[in-house]
Amino acid sequence: MSDAGPTAVLPRRPLTVGELLDAAVLLLRDQARVLLPLALPLALAEQVLLHPMRMLAGAHPPGWWPGGWAGGEPRLGWYWLLLAVGAGTEAMIIALLGNPAARGGGAALLGRRLAPSELLRAARPGATVLAAVTVGLLVGLAGLAGPAWFVAYGLLGLVVPVLMLDGVPAHRVPGRAVRLAGRVGGRAGAVRLLGYLGWWLVRVGIGLGVPYGLGLLGLFDVSAWALPVAVAAQVAVNTLAYPALACLDAVLHLETRIRTEGLDIRLSRAPAGVPEPVLLAAQR
C-alpha cells in the first residue's frame, strides 16, 4: 500500500517505535511555521509562571535544584509542588499544541499538507482549551503523587487528537483517549513516555549546557546573568520540544487506530469525495 502524503509523514500501516518518532519529526518539520510561533509565547508564559514558585522553593538557576549551587536553604515541600505544577503546565501546553498538530497529522494521513492559514483557523477552540486545562490539572495532581505522573502522562496524551479527529461526543473523548493509549499493552502510552524522556534529556542538556558553557568561556558573569540566560535557554528548547511532543501524540493516535481499528483499510476502501471529517471519524 502506498504511503500517504508527498513526504510519507505518516504511512498507512502499523509503524515501529523508531518510525513513530521519525514520523513525529517529519510532521513537526511540515508544520513548523505554525507550531513553533505558537509554542514560543506558551513556553515563555510557563517560565514566568514558574519563576515565583522557584523562588519559594529555593531553586536557583541554571540547575533549578532545591538550594541549587547558590547555597540557599532547600524547601522540599515547595520544590515538590514546583515539580507538580511544572508537569501540569507542560502537559497543558502540549495538549494546546495538539489541536493544530492533530489536524496536520490527519491531513498528512490523507495525502494532504495543510497550509498555515488552515492550521491557524480556529477549530473547536473552547473544547480544546477545556481539554488542555483538564489534562494539565490531572497530570499536575498526579505529579503530587510521584510515580502516578507516569500513568497520567502516558494515558492522557491522546485526548486532544481524539477530540479533533474522531468525531465523538465531548463526554466520550477522555474515555476513548485512555482506551486507545492502553491498547496493545499500553503501547501508545509507553511510546509517549519514551518520547518525553528523549526530549527531557535534550532539555536538561541545553538548559544546563548553555549557561555553564557561556560562563566557562567568560562571556558573562554567572552570578549576575544566570537567571536570564537559563530562562532563555529553557524557552528556546521548550519551543521545539513541546510541538515535537504534540506531533508525537498526533502520530501515536492515528497509528494506534491503524493498528487496532483498521483505519488504513477503511481509508483505502472509501469512495472518492468523502469529506475528511467523515473519513477520519471513529466508527461507532
Side-chain angles (χ1 to χ4, degrees):
M1 184 173 295
S2 62
D3 293 343
T7 57
V9 171
L10 185 57
R12 292 184 183 180
R13 58 175 174 81
L15 304 179
T16 66
V17 172
E19 288 174 326
L20 282 167
L21 299 176
D22 288 343
V25 172
L26 287 173
L27 180 58
L28 174 61
R29 186 191 67 182
D30 278 0
Q31 307 300 343
R33 289 179 298 171
V34 171
L35 292 176
L36 296 185
L38 289 176
L40 176 59
L42 294 172
L44 180 59
E46 179 189 33
Q47 293 300 309
V48 172
L49 173 67
L50 294 180
H51 178 69
M53 298 197 66
R54 286 169 171 162
M55 297 300 99
L56 289 171
H60 302 283
W64 306 114
W65 296 106
W69 286 272
E73 182 68 24
R75 304 161 189 168
L76 296 181
W78 280 107
Y79 190 74
W80 192 261
L81 180 62
L82 168 65
L83 293 178
V85 172
T89 56
E90 65 186 13
M92 181 174 65
I93 292 171
I94 294 168
L96 288 171
L97 296 172
N99 181 314
R103 288 186 286 131
L109 185 65
L110 299 175
R112 198 164 73 87
R113 180 179 296 173
L114 293 183
S117 59
E118 293 178 279
L119 280 178
L120 289 171
R121 189 178 301 129
R124 305 190 73 176
T128 300
V129 171
L130 179 60
V133 170
T134 302
V135 168
L137 287 174
L138 291 175
V139 172
L141 289 173
L144 290 174
W149 173 88
F150 293 93
V151 177
Y153 184 85
L155 293 180
L156 295 175
L158 305 187
V159 169
V160 172
V162 169
L163 176 70
M164 299 312 303
L165 299 178
D166 287 10
V168 299
H171 68 276
R172 291 181 51 198
V173 167
R176 174 166 169 78
V178 171
R179 288 193 300 273
L180 282 173
R183 288 178 182 173
V184 197
R187 183 175 183 271
V191 175
R192 189 175 198 242
L193 287 169
L194 178 64
Y196 181 90
L197 175 61
W199 277 105
W200 180 80
L201 292 173
V202 172
R203 292 160 64 193
V204 170
I206 293 178
L208 292 176
V210 169
Y212 280 122
L214 293 177
L216 289 174
L217 292 174
L219 298 179
F220 70 96
D221 182 355
V222 176
S223 61
W225 289 93
L227 177 60
V229 171
V231 168
Q234 288 291 333
V235 169
V237 70
N238 287 345
T239 297
L240 181 61
Y242 290 160
L245 291 170
C247 288
L248 179 59
D249 289 343
V251 168
L252 281 171
H253 169 251
L254 291 168
E255 195 271 348
T256 300
R257 290 190 58 194
I258 289 173
R259 182 179 291 271
T260 65
E261 297 180 350
L263 177 61
D264 55 330
I265 298 173
R266 182 152 64 91
L267 293 178
S268 68
R269 295 176 177 175
V274 179
E276 290 184 11
V278 176
L279 282 172
L280 293 174
Q283 291 181 325
R284 303 178 185 179

